[in-house]
Amino acid sequence: MANIKAFWVAKNKKLDIIYSLPAASDIHEFVAGKTNRLISNNPVFQQWTADKDSIEQKRVGDSVIYYRGTWTDRAALMIPADLYIADEVDRSKQEVVMQYSTRLQHSDYKWRWYFSNPSTPGYGVDVMWQKSDQKHYFYKCECGHWQYLTMENIMGDKPYFGCVKCKRELSRRYNHGKPNGWRASK
Ligand SMILES: [Zn+2]
């Protein structure tokens, strides 16, 4: 999903993007195993990325996505960007994540997306969560109960996303008259 969102933003918002993962080997695995396969299976992405592409950067429309590791000896990329996507934040080198965040200074957008399996409170992605507006994506069940998805929503022998109140399967598309959406949890 992050791959597709990055492509969309690069192509349609014309933003340059830095995409980081912990190590250079993660980048290789990610781009070769996911990004490139998405492109080769999707005629639209093929059009958007028509030129020859390396593992470390892709031209998407008029923009570029730079893929970089954080634990490499090389200095962090100096190129300015409009969007920084930090994937696997908690396994990444924190100073380098901070350095990449500063590459947005000259952008009108300064968009930052951080995601990770959280490790410890007060570290990595949790720091960003504390600074954020802390919104969750809420779904409305047919029974009227609003909820955001947690492990509690996975139920049944053949697992499905169910309502924590009535156990009905939650439709993640149909929203019973009111839009599903981002709300503050408190
Ligand atoms: Zn329900």
Side-chain angles (χ1 to χ4, degrees), residues 71-82:
W71 289 102
T72 41
D73 291 334
R74 290 165 47 192
L77 187 72
M78 294 300 289
I79 286 168
D82 302 295

Side-chain angles (χ1 to χ4, degrees), residues 141-143 145 163 165-168:
C141 175
E142 277 178 79
C143 78
H145 185 61
C163 171
K165 240 186 178 160
C166 73
K167 309 229 186 299
R168 257 180 281 210

Side-chain angles (χ1 to χ4, degrees), residues 77-148:
L77 187 72
M78 294 300 289
I79 286 168
D82 302 295
L83 164 62
Y84 174 41
I85 305 173
D87 197 344
E88 297 272 18
V89 173
D90 285 37
R91 288 202 298 115
S92 298
K93 190 172 184 179
Q94 301 301 298
E95 300 101 280
V96 176
V97 170
M98 292 323 293
Q99 282 169 23
Y100 280 138
S101 305
T102 66
R103 301 293 181 258
L104 309 174
Q105 274 162 2
H106 303 291
S107 168
D108 290 339
Y109 291 84
K110 302 184 179 68
W111 285 1
R112 294 176 295 162
W113 303 346
Y114 298 96
F115 32 89
S116 184
N117 286 320
S119 55
T120 341
Y123 182 82
V125 77
D126 182 61
V127 175
M128 304 307 173
W129 167 250
Q130 296 303 334
K131 285 183 181 171
S132 79
D133 59 7
Q134 304 192 4
K135 287 190 173 140
H136 289 276
Y137 197 85
F138 279 78
Y139 297 91
K140 191 185 184 189
C141 175
E142 277 178 79
C143 78
H145 185 61
W146 284 97
Q147 60 214 287
Y148 60 88

Side-chain angles (χ1 to χ4, degrees), residues 36-104:
N36 286 351
R37 285 169 66 189
L38 274 173
I39 295 169
S40 65
N41 284 292
N42 186 310
V44 174
F45 291 156
Q46 282 167 33
Q47 277 178 13
W48 292 3
T49 56
D51 61 345
K52 58 165 175 39
D53 283 319
S54 70
I55 288 287
E56 286 210 309
Q57 80 185 54
K58 292 207 180 294
R59 180 162 283 280
V60 182
D62 298 325
S63 306
V64 181
I65 306 177
Y66 301 93
Y67 299 92
R68 288 296 188 276
T70 62
W71 289 102
T72 41
D73 291 334
R74 290 165 47 192
L77 187 72
M78 294 300 289
I79 286 168
D82 302 295
L83 164 62
Y84 174 41
I85 305 173
D87 197 344
E88 297 272 18
V89 173
D90 285 37
R91 288 202 298 115
S92 298
K93 190 172 184 179
Q94 301 301 298
E95 300 101 280
V96 176
V97 170
M98 292 323 293
Q99 282 169 23
Y100 280 138
S101 305
T102 66
R103 301 293 181 258
L104 309 174

